[in-house]
Amino acid sequence: MKQLIIYADMEGASGIFDSNRKALAHEELYPQYSLWREYGRDCITSDVLAVCNAAIDSGIDEILLYDGHFAGCREHNVKLEKLPEQVRVFDVPNRECHWDMIRAQADMTPYGIITVGQHARNGAKDAYFPHTIHTPPIEAFYINGIHVAEIGQAVMTFSGVPYIANIGCEASHEEAQELSTNVSCISVKDRKSKWEPSSEETYPIIYNGIIGAIQDYSNKTAFPLTDEYECELVLTDGFHYEIPEKCEWGGSFEKRSAHWKSKDILTALDCFWEAHNYIQKEC
Ligand SMILES: [Zn+2]
């Protein structure tokens, strides 16, 4: 049984640019905008559908999807009713990013992981909506020296699982390639060359790209499993940590950076939210 993991975000979806950025604004938080429902959802659905159809046509038996954009909002961005019957979604409350629950619901050894709708990290040049998890207050999040944002958290959660492809903004591929050099990179927009195609135009690009990526499966590599994860969470100007007297999970703090270590990736990612609790806005 070949099980594929898909992690979808939305800032890197086809058809969403600076000019129509309100398409990203989830209705549960921004009820004043209608573009997310009228347009944005169709964009990310088209990209995810292209991945699913290509995967199924390449012999994948089962797909598990995590739709992580505006985690905490109940309604999915992806129109699940448009996806093939082989697709299931991870069962997490309000789509919150509980990577431990997500990892536990997948097979021990899934066939591979694909990231789609992906944006670049905070600080990336020529990128659409670059940010690291949420910037501000997050300037950067490092795990074992790699600046990790949404792509990195998903791929590292599935450490040891072949990383097949990243689909998104041209600038998003840098993070993907730092995690696994042989990952197939499929662009759906490029701010540098002002290439802004519609999701109808990118559908065949994604479909054919995934067919090719799976044909090249023997060359795909995973982010390696290790038993030491060293983390650093750095804040942007305007924010600092309220430094605690003692820290039960082993975190240590400076004004704008927190450090911790863990033997497993899921604890390492969990502590991100522990450190996050100490973030204060400067007045
Ligand atoms: Zn997002």
Side-chain angles (χ1 to χ4, degrees):
M1 221 265 313
K2 288 181 182 170
Q3 182 186 71
L4 178 70
I5 309 300
I6 297 181
Y7 168 59
D9 201 352
M10 201 162 159
E11 286 86 349
S14 301
I16 302 178
F17 316 109
D18 299 295
S19 54
N20 60 7
R21 64 186 304 151
K22 286 179 182 150
L24 295 170
H26 197 290
E27 191 180 83
E28 285 167 38
L29 288 180
Y30 301 93
Q32 67 272 36
Y33 302 144
S34 54
L35 209 55
W36 175 81
R37 185 169 297 289
E38 286 167 5
Y39 175 75
R41 297 188 73 208
D42 289 317
C43 293
I44 187 60
T45 301
S46 173
D47 290 4
V48 171
L49 185 60
V51 174
C52 293
N53 284 341
I56 290 163
D57 293 347
S58 303
I60 298 293
D61 303 296
E62 183 185 45
I63 296 171
L64 271 169
L65 169 68
Y66 177 49
D67 177 351
H69 179 69
F70 275 112
C73 292
R74 179 176 288 274
E75 190 173 359
H76 283 77
N77 304 283
V78 179
K79 293 182 171 176
L80 302 179
E81 67 278 12
K82 306 255 177 178
L83 301 180
E85 59 179 15
Q86 292 90 335
V87 183
R88 287 191 292 135
V89 292
F90 286 102
D91 182 16
V92 280
N94 301 317
R95 301 190 294 105
E96 287 159 17
C97 52
H98 297 292
W99 293 112
D100 50 347
M101 293 177 74
I102 289 170
R103 185 63 190 90
Q105 288 170 32
D107 284 353
M108 280 295 285
T109 55
Y111 183 75
I113 176 167
I114 291 178
T115 51
V116 56
Q118 299 301 325
H119 57 82
R121 299 169 287 197
N122 179 42
K125 280 204 185 94
D126 300 313
Y128 294 96
F129 322 113
H131 60 281
T132 294
I133 304 153
H134 58 131
T135 306
I138 309 301
E139 169 81 28
F141 179 33
Y142 297 99
I143 301 181
N144 293 352
I146 300 176
H147 183 175
V148 161
E150 286 86 336
I151 296 173
Q153 291 193 73
V155 171
M156 285 188 181
T157 290
F158 289 93
S159 290
V161 175
Y163 187 17
I164 295 176
N166 178 57
I167 301 121
C169 161
E170 168 75 24
S172 74
H173 302 317
E174 194 178 347
E175 181 182 2
Q177 286 170 321
E178 284 175 23
L179 295 156
S180 181
T181 45
N182 292 351
V183 64
S184 292
C185 293
I186 303 166
S187 295
V188 299
K189 55 189 175 187
D190 183 4
R191 203 160 194 262
K192 193 171 186 181
S193 64
K194 299 193 170 64
W195 180 57
E196 299 193 337
S198 68
S199 58
E200 289 79 12
E201 289 171 88
T202 60
Y203 182 95
I205 297 173
I206 298 171
Y207 180 90
N208 292 324
I210 295 299
I211 297 279
I214 296 177
Q215 277 169 359
D216 190 40
Y217 183 74
S218 61
N219 287 318
K220 298 304 177 202
T221 53
F223 183 80
L225 265 171
T226 142
D227 54 10
E228 185 156 73
Y229 293 89
E230 243 188 281
C231 306
E232 181 181 11
L233 184 58
V234 185
L235 305 182
T236 54
D237 285 348
F239 292 86
H240 68 268
Y241 288 106
E242 183 75 42
I243 301 175
E245 301 227 320
K246 76 178 213 304
C247 180
E248 276 155 21
W249 47 275
S252 66
F253 293 85
E254 292 155 54
K255 185 169 185 235
R256 273 208 194 91
S257 103
H259 295 260
W260 65 92
K261 276 184 195 173
S262 167
K263 292 201 174 302
D264 71 283
I265 185 61
L266 297 172
T267 307
L269 292 176
D270 228 32
C271 290
F272 172 94
W273 296 106
E274 299 287 346
H276 203 276
N277 287 335
Y278 295 103
I279 298 175
Q280 298 269 315
K281 198 171 172 30
E282 272 158 28
C283 18

